[in-house]
Amino acid sequence: MWLIRSSIGRKFVMSISGTVLILFLLFHLSMNVAAIFSADAYNTICSLLGANWYAVAATVVLIGIIVIHFTYATILTLGNLKARGSSYAVNARPKGVSWASQNMFVIGIIVVGFMILHLSQFWYKMMFSELMGIHEVELGDGLKLHPQDGAAFIAYYFSHLWIVAAYLIWYAALWFHLSHGVWSAIQTLGLNNEIWLKRWKTVSHVVATLIFLGFASVTLFFYAKSLCGGCC
């Protein structure tokens, strides 16, 4: 099948799966921003999703897309390294090739690594706990929360400086990944020409920056709020 065996097919799958993941990030960002303005609004969203069948089904599909995206990225990277030969200099960057473009796979590994941290702190203690029938999750300092109290989870985790720093590194890695990934996906799908290529690259930077600033704002807002004892 050409989607599996050919380089073009693999890049096509990468582009489609990547586009779906970008749309999910924008959806997730809109949820998180709601937490800044209203904890009740955010918790309402959490209750609408939670362990409901459609949210679980969407989560399974999302995980599948992430696995496909990462698997194809690995196959394409190994194929490129094999084609270039053992004499290929990793540090040699051709003219016109961005740093993010040359290091997409490494950046992707960083993104996936921090995603595991995120899932262990939120998905595992919220949706998974609810699926297991757990109605009270114990965190540090003796704090116990209901799995659907998403705003309290955010407030707790983003009150720790090391977690805030780790997430900011994750957002930065996402920025580099998206700043190349968005326009690369569009190019693979054939939705560009010489005029639009530069425009799509600009759109990529705008989307990447929007996602970075949005998530970073939520993280820093709750950290600042923790410093003033929730009075902010």
Side-chain angles (χ1 to χ4, degrees):
M1 187 177 179
W2 73 277
L3 289 175
I4 299 176
R5 297 178 180 176
S6 72
S7 177
I8 296 177
R10 292 166 183 167
K11 289 180 179 178
F12 180 80
V13 173
M14 281 282 292
S15 300
I16 295 298
S17 59
T19 300
V20 173
L21 294 176
I22 291 168
L23 293 175
F24 169 74
L25 282 173
L26 291 172
F27 167 73
H28 197 355
L29 174 60
S30 64
M31 280 182 55
N32 285 20
V33 170
I36 293 179
F37 300 98
S38 172
D40 290 337
Y42 183 75
N43 286 344
T44 298
I45 297 173
C46 291
S47 64
L48 289 174
L49 297 175
N52 292 309
W53 70 266
Y54 48 84
V56 175
T59 300
V60 172
V61 171
L62 181 65
I63 292 174
I65 292 174
I66 292 173
V67 171
I68 290 172
H69 192 75
F70 187 75
T71 300
Y72 273 68
T74 302
I75 293 172
L76 285 169
T77 300
L78 293 176
N80 289 338
L81 290 175
K82 184 178 180 180
R84 289 165 179 165
S86 58
S87 62
Y88 173 69
V90 176
N91 294 325
R93 187 166 76 241
K95 184 178 181 180
V97 176
S98 68
W99 181 87
S101 174
Q102 192 180 32
N103 295 279
M104 281 292 281
F105 185 70
V106 175
I107 297 171
I109 292 176
I110 296 173
V111 170
V112 171
F114 277 102
M115 189 183 301
I116 294 173
L117 171 65
H118 178 67
L119 291 174
S120 69
Q121 292 176 335
F122 290 93
W123 176 83
Y124 179 74
K125 294 180 179 178
M126 293 178 70
M127 178 184 282
F128 184 77
S129 294
E130 195 173 349
L131 285 171
M132 294 297 101
I134 300 172
H135 301 292
E136 194 174 62
V137 179
E138 186 171 353
L139 301 179
D141 305 322
L143 179 64
K144 295 181 179 180
L145 299 174
H146 189 278
Q148 291 185 356
D149 194 356
F153 275 92
I154 293 177
Y156 171 77
Y157 282 116
F158 292 159
S159 66
H160 297 77
L161 182 58
W162 77 267
I163 294 179
V164 171
Y167 271 81
L168 291 177
I169 293 172
W170 184 28
Y171 304 149
L174 266 178
W175 186 93
F176 282 109
H177 199 71
L178 294 174
S179 65
H180 171 76
V182 174
W183 73 261
S184 180
I186 293 171
Q187 184 181 45
T188 299
L189 295 174
L191 303 177
N192 72 300
N193 51 41
E194 291 184 3
I195 296 176
W196 272 95
L197 181 57
K198 290 184 178 180
R199 296 176 181 175
W200 285 126
K201 286 185 177 181
T202 300
V203 170
S204 295
H205 282 81
V206 170
V207 171
T209 302
L210 174 65
I211 291 175
F212 171 81
L213 292 178
F215 281 117
S217 296
V218 175
T219 301
L220 293 174
F221 172 83
F222 279 95
Y223 179 67
K225 191 172 181 179
S226 72
L227 293 179
C228 64
C231 61
C232 302

